[in-house]
Amino acid sequence: MMFVTTAALLLGLTVYARTDVAPPTVTVNLAEPPEQRWTVLLKVFDLSFLKKAAADVIDTTVPKWVHHAIKPVVMALEKYIPQPYAGEIRGMASQFGGSLSDVIILNFAYEISAFCTSIVAQDTNGHVYHGRNLDYPHPVLRNLTVNIIFLKDGETLEEAENFEDAVMRLSKIPIITEVYYIVGGLQPGEGAVITRDRSGPADIWPLDPVTGGWYRVETNFDHWLPPPGRDHRREAAIKALNATGQDHINMKTLYQILSVYPVCNRGTVYTTIMSAEKTEKYTTLVRPQGCLKSS
């Protein structure tokens, strides 16, 4: 009865899209040369559509001055972007009929305009669940979303031995931009938000179920600081998690929490729900119209 009441409460806070749909899935083989590994996208997307979508994102997001500023990067790609990423960029430009500038600029477009909400949570039996919304101001991406399975010699995560090792590797390896990593593991307590600087961790915020920290919510702002007054995603997610309760958190209720407005909003492209313990239940659903605030 409690579950039914909680679900009804959450459903009453948002207007759902008519039909959420699963995107296609492709496998990227990391054993292939970087220049060739992304051709698998042409199995599920029309080349002319990819070109048109890329042009739309670039023209509506990236300032004109960036096109000029990117010229030195194009001229000396490997100097600024290490392998295998430089090879992947060259391959995409060649296979998809674009330019090096366009592929590089598309990465800037993501940095400028992408937002997301991620949650890692543990139920009372010690099972850890992980969910994420991607918000992006380009509706065309709803037709470009794809699940990608990365494999190398039939495996992934070939170096990390366990959750703690994975967290340390994600925390310490130098990267080219500041990010948040949200990680969920197999065992109770194995969940964390890693706030990254380019050279190392600014903060590691683990689950702490013993003292009541059975979930962590990360949007696009450091968790120890208040978000901007216009952004209420964190507040809404925390309210929905508390209303659901640790006794009732699971993959279904986590999807409902990520469907609450404005956690899910007009710009939400997709929602992903997963658990490292139950990989067969991994689910991504595209939100054809996002979510609208109920009247």
Side-chain angles (χ1 to χ4, degrees), residues 85-148:
Y85 312 113
E88 291 183 349
I89 288 172
R90 290 190 183 279
M92 286 183 178
S94 173
Q95 298 292 336
F96 302 154
S99 67
L100 286 175
S101 297
D102 287 347
V103 180
I104 295 170
I105 287 172
L106 281 170
N107 285 275
F108 282 97
Y110 179 84
E111 296 296 332
I112 292 170
S113 55
F115 290 86
C116 61
T117 300
S118 292
I119 297 171
V120 60
Q122 177 180 312
D123 68 15
T124 51
N125 294 316
H127 303 298
V128 178
Y129 305 97
H130 184 183
R132 186 220 186 181
N133 282 352
L134 174 70
D135 302 339
Y136 211 86
H138 300 290
V140 69
L141 292 187
R142 294 189 173 98
N143 297 322
L144 282 175
T145 299
V146 59
N147 285 318
I148 300 175

Side-chain angles (χ1 to χ4, degrees), residues 253-271:
T253 56
L254 184 55
Y255 184 83
Q256 292 171 342
I257 290 165
L258 286 166
S259 300
V260 172
Y261 185 87
V263 181
C264 179
N265 54 72
R266 188 183 297 273
T268 301
V269 174
Y270 67 76
T271 298

